[in-house]
Amino acid sequence: MTADTQDLVHYDAVVIGAGFAGIYMLYKLRRLGLSAKVYETGDDVGGTWYWNRYPGARCDVESLEYCYSFDPELAQEWEWTERYPAQPEILRYAQHVAERYDLYQDIQFNTKVTRAAFDDRTGRWLVSSAAAIDHIDHNHAPAGATTDLVAADYLICAVGCLSSSNVPDISGIDTFAGEVCHTGRYPKEGIDFAGKRVGVIGTGSSGIQAIPVIAETAEHLTVFQRTPQYAIPARNHPLDPKEQAQVKAEYRRLREKNKAQQGALGARFDWNEGSVLDVEATEAFKEFDARWEIGGFAFLGAYGDIARNPEANHVAADFVKAKIRETVTDPEVAERLIPTTYIGCKRLVLDTDYFATYNRDNVALVDISENTIAEITSRGLCTADGTEHDLDVIVFATGYDAMTGSLLRIDVCGRGGLSLAEQWHAGPRTYLGLSVPGFPNMFTITGPGSPSVLANMIVCIEQHVDWIGDCISYMRAKGHRHIEASEEAAEAWVDHVNLVASYTLYPTCNSWYLGANIPGKTRVFMPLPGFPPYAEKCDQVAAAGYEGFQLISS
Ligand code: NAP
């Protein structure tokens, strides 16, 4: 970057992304009296909940827990309508927050940050952005030329863990005559599936939510499944105002209790510590049945060792397999839907009528685990055995280049021109998931190495934003100009994350937690299991004068 940086507009902080992390960060920076600018690719706030407009899109964390807690008045005034919030309601909530705290004025929409480089000469970040160009695969950089270049003391990346959509590189994709979309980049105007032959590729959380809804209107739906998934009924329902009032009467206590849970959620359910192996199978099945009726992640709380012990995991998995066989009337289809991995090793999916959907006459299941998709033609999709599936619409529910994709698609360069891609060539290396060695004054909200996607994202976001805010206040009070994680601290932190993960069954399957869904991506377990010890560690680091960081005053 050769611009004369003296002439540039300068902000105390630039924030990338106006999802839940970005808008709370902006609120926090304002409260600290700092000037800030937020850049956002979409044309409104909401982040992942702006883009994920696919049919059936709904959060798998309960509404009363999937919201901010920083302002008790906000928490009391917003009324949720359902147990699990649907995408439009979450988007309205994000818009409400942005309006309530007058945040819109500092957010520049339809703008994509293309490059952020630390200028060794001035000690500031130089941030380039361009007009965003909508495209199904937003991993690709936009074609627009740089339109804006600003300088900032702090660069705060609030880019989201699941925002860089993964569209597989299938030959012929551009020749398809029908409509193509990705669930994470779903068209605002929606898609009318009536009278159409639809193909859905992918059976993760997004596919499993979309499939039953699409099946209701499509003439025919073909599901292309590479790996079967465990799904537990969500048991969504309208929220009883009395129940909501009761929860809100003790809201602060509930939110605090949640923070003491491993996943920072579900404090209203019992999370048993006992082993499923200490009880008779009939008793265990009775407990699982009760939790199956409650719905949601309460299922995983039945016993403490499901996520850790293979034998214990089998008992829980067998229960769900029995439910699939009970629900799906065609035994051959049921067997194709039975997962072979550990339950919970890929993110457990909450569903509404997913397995029952395969009993419909207009739904077919195609196993592409071995008979892979060979090509897409103008008429549809062709599998390796030569079978042609004629389609009018193809929905990619193929997930994300998770946790690192959104950051790496920006050209981020730290001290001495070190690129983030180089720094992370062997997998993401952060200290606390908040900071990267070589990248002074850059913070990553819910970055790799923090609990993030293994916990309630909103709780994780608030904890990170509060920590970053406190850190900046500390630096200003002490006259420190730069903060940077040390190489040793990041090294030790990566080892710690891997060690904690190795006590669980998470690393045993090809999940996006490991980057295994993206061809060529280095396989490293990225999120850290366990919110409470993590938050405690962050507090300890701060209390010890930001141990593991170098603080520089000039
Ligand atoms: P995902 O869990 O990564 O699932 C992607 C699906 O596409 C998998 O079935 C995957 O198969 C398949 N796939 C990927 N590449 C493929 C290829 N080249 N050919 C064929 N199939 C391919 O993605 P997601 O469903 O979008 O969910 C991602 C995460 O977002 C979730 O785990 C969850 O954390 C979050 N999410 C949450 C909600 C909610 O709150 N309810 C809703 C949606 C998403 P393999 O399994 O074989 O890789």
Side-chain angles (χ1 to χ4, degrees), residues 267-282:
R268 288 194 291 158
F269 304 115
D270 291 331
W271 292 78
N272 297 335
E273 279 304 312
S275 168
V276 66
L277 303 175
D278 288 342
V279 299
E280 294 293 328
T282 46

Side-chain angles (χ1 to χ4, degrees), residues 49 54 58-60 162 166 168 183 201-207 209 226-227 346-347 368 397-400 510 512 517:
W49 295 108
Y54 62 84
R58 188 179 289 285
C59 187
D60 55 10
L162 295 160
N166 166 43
T183 47
I201 306 174
T203 52
S205 301
S206 306
Q209 285 188 332
R226 188 164 72 178
T227 310
K346 289 191 176 198
R347 181 168 178 111
I368 52 165
T398 41
Y400 300 90
N510 291 329
W512 56 260
N517 61 328

Side-chain angles (χ1 to χ4, degrees), residues 118-140:
F118 184 75
D119 182 358
D120 294 303
R121 198 167 52 88
T122 58
R124 286 179 168 165
W125 282 92
L126 300 179
V127 182
S128 316
S129 57
I133 292 171
D134 222 1
H135 190 279
I136 178 178
D137 179 4
H138 64 161
N139 293 329
H140 296 151

